[in-house]
């Protein structure tokens, strides 16, 4: 039996280059090129490696603006067989709950699946909530912070999940959602041939109307979001501070004072 794998892909701005609009508290997405969230590349690579061993079919699923088509084409170049973009003005401004609700509705519309893979977090929103919320909406188990896929077969998958104080080896039967860390693998680069093939492939676009029967539109987008962000504050960047003391004793006394002030001694 070949596995049906859904990979959640979010398009994010290149975080090294993006600017933040302090006035509105929003990311100025026009200030930087967009790309697949780096952790989602690990999720996709994991899916491709499973498919290579067991056979299977990979669907890349994203919710985002029309521009996100380019990231889904990239996902197809990297091994996804099919790509679906959930795009509608009604979906815009969603918080994590409304995002996961809409993604889960699309997965219900897709129908059968064995495995859902996602990144542990995104580099822009960075909440690390969407994967677990999707699993809850679908009423399936999830395993987070997976640093290694130890084993898998047609019925179940064994993964190593990193928690604060321990790592857990967990065997779980499908269907399951797995959220991966960067340690799980090293995503390969698509070849030129793959890129050219993907450029010609079609990305399916599903609007709100296409999710009819699977979604209550009162629960999507900004108006369906229970979270209300009042203010976003960007922390000031702090750099290392250095001091030079020409007198050793004065220097030692100062170091001790700093350590005492910070309750380190
Ligand atoms: C009130 C409110 C308003 C907001 N308004 C906006 C807005 O106008 N515009 C905006 O861009 N953001 C907005 N956001 C942020 C938005 O909620 C998050 O970008 C989104 O919910 C995803 O959360 P995250 O990036 O923290 O994902 P995480 O939980 O950190 O992501 C974990 C994994 O889930 C998957 N995933 C996450 N998001 C998606 C997605 N969209 N499609 C497919 N897979 C996904 C990926 O695999 C990812 O690695 C708003 C948030 C709030 C609270």
């Amino acid at each position: 039996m070949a596995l049906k794998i859904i990979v959640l892909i979010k398009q994010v701005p290149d975080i090294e280059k993006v600017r933040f609009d302090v006035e509105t508290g929003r990311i100025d997405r026009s200030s930087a090129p967009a790309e697949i969230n780096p952790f989602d590349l690990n999720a996709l690579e994991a899916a491709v490696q499973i498919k290579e061993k067991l056979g299977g079919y990979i669907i890349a699923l994203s919710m985002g603006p029309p521009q996100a088509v380019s990231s889904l084409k990239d996902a197809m170049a990297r091994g996804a067989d099919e790509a679906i973009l959930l795009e509608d003005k009604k979906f815009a401004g969603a918080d994590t709950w409304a995002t996961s609700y809409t993604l889960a509705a699309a997965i219900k519309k897709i129908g059968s699946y064995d495995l859902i893979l996602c990144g542990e977090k995104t580099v822009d929103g960075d909440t690390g909530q969407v994967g677990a919320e999707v699993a809850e909406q679908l009423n399936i188990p999830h395993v987070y912070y997976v640093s290694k896929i130890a084993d898998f077969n047609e019925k179940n998958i064994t993964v190593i999940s990193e928690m604060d104080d321990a790592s857990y080896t967990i065997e779980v039967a499908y269907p399951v959602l797995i959220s991966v860390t960067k340690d799980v693998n090293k995503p390969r680069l698509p070849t030129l041939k793959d890129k050219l093939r993907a450029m010609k492939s079609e990305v399916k676009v599903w609007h709100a109307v296409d999710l009819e029967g699977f979604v209550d539109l009162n629960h999507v987008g900004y108006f369906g979001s229970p979270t209300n962000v009042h203010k976003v504050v960007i922390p000031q960047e702090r750099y290392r501070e250095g001091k030079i003391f020409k007198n050793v004793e004065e220097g030692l006394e100062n170091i001790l004072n700093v350590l005492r002030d910070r309750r380190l001694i």
Side-chain angles (χ1 to χ4, degrees):
M1 183 196 79
L3 292 189
K4 190 158 168 189
I5 307 173
I6 298 174
V7 185
L8 303 181
I9 301 276
K10 186 182 180 192
Q11 186 180 62
V12 295
D14 181 340
I15 217 69
E16 302 283 319
K17 297 182 185 136
V18 75
R19 284 195 305 268
F20 204 82
D21 186 333
V22 187
E23 294 293 310
T24 61
R26 285 190 170 206
I27 289 171
D28 174 7
R29 287 177 197 272
S30 62
S31 65
E35 59 185 17
I36 295 181
N37 178 46
F39 296 93
D40 303 352
L41 290 179
N42 296 97
L44 182 56
E45 175 65 27
V48 172
Q49 288 183 12
I50 292 171
K51 181 183 158 177
E52 281 171 347
K53 287 215 172 131
L54 288 183
Y57 190 77
I58 302 173
I59 302 176
L61 174 65
S62 186
M63 183 177 92
Q67 307 86 278
V69 162
S70 63
S71 287
L72 285 173
K73 290 214 166 188
D74 187 13
M76 290 175 98
R78 291 167 187 270
D81 298 292
E82 186 181 329
I84 303 170
L85 174 65
L86 309 178
E87 186 273 309
D88 199 295
K89 285 209 169 76
K90 292 192 174 92
F91 300 152
D95 67 1
T96 59
W97 191 90
T99 300
S100 56
Y101 175 75
T102 314
L103 289 169
I107 293 168
K108 285 177 191 165
K109 178 171 164 147
I110 290 169
S112 65
Y113 57 88
D114 301 291
L115 179 60
I116 303 174
L117 283 156
C118 70
E120 65 162 298
K121 61 181 177 182
T122 60
V123 291
D124 60 349
D126 198 8
T127 65
Q129 296 172 2
V130 168
E133 289 179 355
V134 167
E136 285 300 309
Q137 305 262 13
L138 295 170
N139 201 21
I140 61 168
H142 66 268
V143 187
Y144 249 56
Y145 306 117
V146 166
S147 62
K148 188 170 179 192
I149 296 178
D151 198 13
F152 53 84
N153 57 40
E154 284 85 356
K155 291 210 169 83
N156 48 45
I157 184 164
T158 305
V159 295
I160 298 180
S161 162
E162 303 293 340
M163 292 295 154
D164 278 347
D165 53 350
S167 31
Y168 296 85
T169 302
I170 300 169
E171 185 189 278
V172 60
Y174 308 123
V176 61
L177 181 143
I178 305 274
S179 148
V180 301
T181 71
K182 284 198 89 60
D183 295 327
V184 77
N185 54 40
K186 193 165 177 291
R188 71 194 86 173
L189 290 171
T191 62
L192 180 62
K193 199 170 140 211
D194 292 332
K195 284 186 189 172
L196 292 173
R197 178 186 41 79
M199 270 168 68
K200 290 188 205 137
S201 327
E202 183 217 359
V203 171
K204 289 182 187 159
V205 180
W206 288 356
H207 304 293
V209 67
D210 297 307
L211 293 185
E212 214 174 306
F214 299 94
V215 83
D216 175 349
L217 290 181
N218 292 315
H219 296 315
V220 303
Y222 180 79
F223 294 105
S225 295
T227 321
N228 195 347
V229 178
H230 285 273
K231 194 176 175 191
V232 178
V233 181
I234 309 163
Q236 292 249 306
E237 276 192 54
R238 291 186 63 186
Y239 298 97
R240 285 182 170 209
E241 294 165 19
K243 274 187 185 171
I244 295 173
F245 297 102
K246 295 209 168 120
N247 177 310
V248 175
E249 287 194 357
E250 187 199 348
L252 280 175
E253 195 50 43
N254 268 277
I255 291 168
L256 287 170
N257 284 341
V258 170
L259 292 174
R260 278 189 206 110
D261 284 352
R262 299 193 180 183
R263 295 173 182 270
L264 293 171
I265 54 171

